[in-house]
Amino acid sequence: ALKEESGLEVQGGAVGEFEEEGLRDLLMSFPLVETVVKQEIVDQFNNLQVEYSARVAVEREALANLYVGDRSSTGGWTPSDHATFVRLRSAVWQSSTQRNGRTVLQALAPLLPQVLPKELAEHEDWFC
């Protein structure tokens, strides 16, 4: 908290020391305004800082959850399952003499036993 000859206390927070000093200096430039009024302004400033910080925290959490939950770039699969699919599919595709979806699916099925054949076919369709 900043508190100098003005007697006004400005709390530290999201806005930073530069803004705190600027508010204190601005309020000091009005000598005819009562200290009580100036303190009310400072209190409102502090409340806004707390509210702003809380809102930013909520938005950051929402964005983090959105990123974790968004699998549009991996066809609905987890990033690691999709990466495994891409790696194995690429290897199968390069080693296959018949490069078509059915051949790729037949080769991928035993390599990805945790994935149902229908899910694998849907992912292959999405991927292509």
Side-chain angles (χ1 to χ4, degrees):
L2 293 176
K3 188 173 182 178
E4 291 187 2
E5 67 273 357
S6 67
L8 300 176
E9 189 169 341
V10 181
Q11 298 295 319
V15 177
E17 193 170 313
F18 177 77
E19 287 83 359
E20 292 171 6
E21 290 175 4
L23 177 62
R24 188 189 64 237
D25 292 344
L26 177 66
L27 292 172
M28 291 297 293
S29 70
F30 294 95
L32 299 178
V33 177
E34 294 181 22
T35 303
V36 173
V37 173
K38 291 178 183 179
Q39 189 60 53
E40 287 177 23
I41 293 169
V42 168
D43 291 344
Q44 285 297 319
F45 176 79
N46 290 336
N47 290 339
L48 287 172
Q49 279 188 309
V50 169
E51 184 179 326
Y52 171 78
S53 295
R55 285 185 180 180
V56 167
V58 166
E59 291 300 321
R60 282 187 179 153
E61 185 176 340
L63 285 172
N65 290 338
L66 176 66
Y67 179 74
V68 169
D70 180 20
R71 295 184 179 171
S72 61
S73 63
T74 60
W77 287 21
T78 65
S80 98
D81 285 347
H82 178 67
T84 300
F85 168 83
V86 171
R87 182 176 47 79
L88 293 174
R89 185 187 183 280
S90 177
V92 167
W93 187 264
Q94 290 175 3
S95 66
S96 179
T97 55
Q98 293 182 319
R99 294 182 177 166
N100 62 53
R102 186 173 183 184
T103 305
V104 169
L105 289 175
Q106 287 174 344
L108 283 176
L111 300 174
L112 298 166
Q114 74 279 12
V115 179
L116 295 173
K118 180 182 178 196
E119 292 173 338
L120 191 58
E122 288 171 355
H123 200 68
E124 172 68 18
D125 290 342
W126 171 85
F127 187 72
C128 294

